[in-house]
Amino acid sequence: MFIKIIFSYILGYLSISVEGYYIERFINICKNNKIAIWNLKRDKDIKLYLRIGIRDFKNVCKVAKKTKCKIKIVNKRGVPFLVHKYKKRKVFLVLLILLVFLTLLSSNFVWNVDIQEEKGQQIENIMEDIEEAGLRIGELKSKVNTKEIINKIRLKRKDIAWIGIELKGTNAIVKLVKADEKPNIIDENDYCSIISDKAGVITKINAQSGTANVKVGDTINKGDVVINGWMEGKYTGIRYVHAKGEIEAKVWYTKSKRVLYNTTERKETGEVENKYSIKFNNFEINLNKRVSKFEIYDTINTENKFKLFSDFYLPISIVKSINKEVKEVQKTYDIEQAKNIGIEELQRELDNEIENKENIVNKNINTYETEDGIDIYVTYEVLENIGTNEKIVF
């Protein structure tokens, strides 16, 4: 909305009064028809003051006629009216020509990189690799070799199945498809053993093909062979096979943390303040010179880039900084309180990590007191099917 208001000033806007008994209906119809209205001020029950863009004036008149309201233009503001007012002034004309020239000049550069990942998949650090490959904000479009950039990224990134780059106006659209991780599938005719993919204690093992290398009760580590990919007969000797079988083990998931008896917690008070700045590519002008009124606060920045059309971005953007006041509260816990807080948090983390909660057979909690807090260890014992194939190399 803020960007729309600024563009309305560039294109021109009107301050009008609307008078009638159906003002609420007038506002609702304007919103339903996506007519931008702002600075609404009510005068009694039947009169309303508001602002609209020049282009919306005819549509607003139609809405007023439909709702039997009277419209009166109170004021005219914006660049078009300034041009009309100062059209005889040479300096203003020169500035206007300069503005048009700079806009045309900026059309030769890339001012926005729009990354579109299929199905909302997140690809880490992709923007850094795109910039390193040669597609950067402020780059001349004539210097952007899309094929070369695509090849560089494909060679560097194995997690990208497909990438396409399209230049539209001053916008570079990068479309990405993330590559699926393929499991290491071993052919049925290949000789292989089954190795453990987790550490644990064997609770059940059934070798359907191959020779069991462990028995129930044995402790195994990750990478240990549990079923060998060979069988030995009295008359046939050793023959190699594709090992198959079911292996169940009791595995452990452990998480730990220290809870301090005296700690400081940060809580939002609900008070916020908004600050704005104008950014010209990498040069930023702060519109709020004074420091924040909050002593302690968190800041969230959002940047809205100017664009004339859907894909014609300008090297100008409005940065909105939201400062949220934070209050630091001193907390003191006794041993039992600290223990309960830590256990609840660790159990919540483990519950989110373990998919088959019905296979949890035991929960162990250990605590160790220190001078300034308490160390907590929570361990879940879980029954799981383990094992993965590993090809035998001769």
Side-chain angles (χ1 to χ4, degrees):
M1 188 66 184
F2 186 73
I3 300 294
K4 274 190 172 182
I5 292 170
I6 291 177
F7 270 112
S8 295
Y9 183 82
I10 295 171
L11 300 173
Y13 68 87
L14 303 170
S15 296
I16 64 171
S17 64
V18 182
E19 191 173 354
Y21 292 100
Y22 303 103
I23 290 177
E24 287 81 4
R25 189 169 171 232
F26 171 86
I27 295 170
N28 290 333
I29 293 174
C30 286
K31 287 183 177 178
N32 290 336
N33 291 335
K34 296 182 179 178
I35 298 172
I37 57 176
W38 68 97
N39 277 34
L40 280 73
K41 293 179 182 178
R42 197 76 174 260
D43 185 6
K44 298 180 181 179
D45 291 329
I46 60 171
K47 199 167 187 179
L48 181 73
Y49 293 96
L50 55 94
R51 291 177 180 176
I52 59 167
I54 291 176
R55 294 180 298 176
D56 293 326
F57 183 66
K58 288 184 179 179
N59 293 329
V60 168
C61 289
K62 291 177 183 178
V63 175
K65 187 176 180 181
K66 189 175 181 180
T67 55
K68 298 179 181 179
C69 294
K70 293 181 181 179
I71 285 183
K72 184 179 178 182
I73 297 174
V74 178
N75 219 331
K76 300 176 181 179
R77 290 285 185 272
V79 174
F81 301 112
L82 288 173
V83 172
H84 181 74
K85 185 177 179 180
Y86 300 107
K87 62 182 178 181
K88 292 183 180 180
R89 297 190 179 182
K90 293 181 180 179
V91 175
F92 184 82
L93 184 62
V94 170
L95 289 174
L96 183 62
I97 293 170
L98 182 62
L99 179 63
V100 173
F101 172 74
L102 291 174
T103 302
L104 292 173
L105 182 65
S106 68
S107 65
N108 296 309
F109 295 83
V110 174
W111 296 118
N112 187 65
V113 177
D114 181 17
I115 298 175
Q116 300 177 3
E117 294 155 315
E118 188 184 50
K119 299 177 182 177
Q121 296 172 320
Q122 297 296 318
I123 302 176
E124 293 183 1
N125 304 321
I126 187 61
M127 190 62 201
E128 289 84 346
D129 290 335
I130 288 172
E131 289 178 351
E132 188 180 327
L135 180 56
R136 292 175 287 269
I137 292 175
E139 191 76 27
L140 266 171
K141 290 196 294 184
S142 59
K143 290 186 177 181
V144 176
N145 188 328
T146 56
K147 289 184 179 179
E148 185 179 325
I149 293 168
I150 289 169
N151 289 334
K152 284 182 180 179
I153 294 172
R154 288 292 301 274
L155 287 171
K156 185 175 182 180
R157 304 288 298 244
K158 302 301 180 185
D159 57 344
I160 294 174
W162 181 85
I163 177 172
I165 300 174
E166 183 181 7
L167 298 179
K168 280 188 173 183
T170 59
N171 188 28
I173 302 170
V174 182
K175 294 182 179 180
L176 297 162
V177 178
K178 191 174 182 180
D180 295 327
E181 290 185 12
K182 295 181 180 179
N184 186 19
I185 300 172
I186 298 176
D187 192 273
E188 287 288 331
N189 298 318
D190 289 336
Y191 302 139
C192 69
S193 299
I194 297 178
I195 64 169
S196 173
D197 52 2
K198 292 179 181 178
V201 174
I202 299 295
T203 56
K204 184 171 68 176
I205 183 165
N206 178 22
Q208 299 166 359
S209 177
T211 304
N213 193 47
V214 293
K215 60 183 183 296
V216 173
D218 285 354
T219 300
I220 56 169
N221 294 314
K222 185 177 180 180
D224 288 350
V225 177
V226 287
I227 298 179
N228 287 308
W230 50 265
M231 299 176 72
E232 186 175 5
K234 185 175 180 180
Y235 301 105
T236 59
I238 295 176
R239 59 188 180 90
Y240 291 94
V241 296
H242 184 102
K244 293 180 182 179
E246 294 179 7
I247 309 105
E248 184 185 75
K250 183 163 59 178
V251 299
W252 294 272
Y253 293 87
T254 300
K255 285 191 177 292
S256 64
K257 72 169 300 177
R258 171 174 288 188
V259 180
L260 300 175
Y261 297 137
N262 298 303
T263 184
T264 302
E265 292 185 1
R266 292 165 61 92
K267 289 187 176 180
E268 293 182 1
T269 65
E271 294 292 323
V272 298
E273 64 179 0
N274 297 326
K275 292 180 178 292
Y276 297 93
S277 59
I278 299 176
K279 196 173 180 181
F280 299 90
N281 198 13
N282 294 322
F283 179 72
E284 191 169 344
I285 301 174
N286 191 358
L287 300 179
N288 302 89
K289 297 295 182 183
R290 60 186 179 87
V291 297
S292 175
K293 63 182 181 181
F294 302 139
E295 186 177 350
I296 307 171
Y297 57 91
D298 293 327
T299 302
I300 301 172
N301 293 322
T302 56
E303 185 175 347
N304 291 314
K305 294 188 176 182
F306 280 93
K307 58 180 179 178
L308 298 178
F309 312 106
S310 60
D311 288 301
F312 195 94
Y313 286 83
L314 296 175
I316 308 170
S317 58
I318 297 292
V319 179
K320 181 181 180 181
S321 299
I322 303 174
N323 294 334
K324 295 185 176 182
E325 186 183 28
V326 175
K327 187 178 180 181
E328 291 186 344
V329 181
Q330 298 295 323
K331 289 279 187 178
T332 302
Y333 303 112
D334 58 29
I335 295 174
E336 285 302 314
Q337 287 174 327
K339 187 187 296 184
N340 291 335
I341 289 170
I343 291 171
E344 286 177 10
E345 187 175 327
L346 293 174
Q347 285 185 332
R348 187 165 53 249
E349 291 177 9
L350 285 167
D351 288 338
N352 291 332
E353 186 176 320
I354 297 169
E355 294 181 4
N356 299 320
K357 296 178 181 57
E358 63 275 7
N359 292 337
I360 299 172
V361 293
N362 196 17
K363 297 180 182 179
N364 294 318
I365 299 170
N366 294 307
T367 59
Y368 304 93
E369 294 181 29
T370 63
E371 289 184 4
D372 58 348
I374 186 166
D375 292 331
I376 304 166
Y377 297 81
V378 177
T379 301
Y380 280 14
E381 294 181 5
V382 187
L383 288 178
E384 290 186 1
N385 292 320
I386 65 169
T388 184
N389 292 105
E390 183 178 79
K391 192 173 180 179
I392 297 173
V393 179
F394 296 96

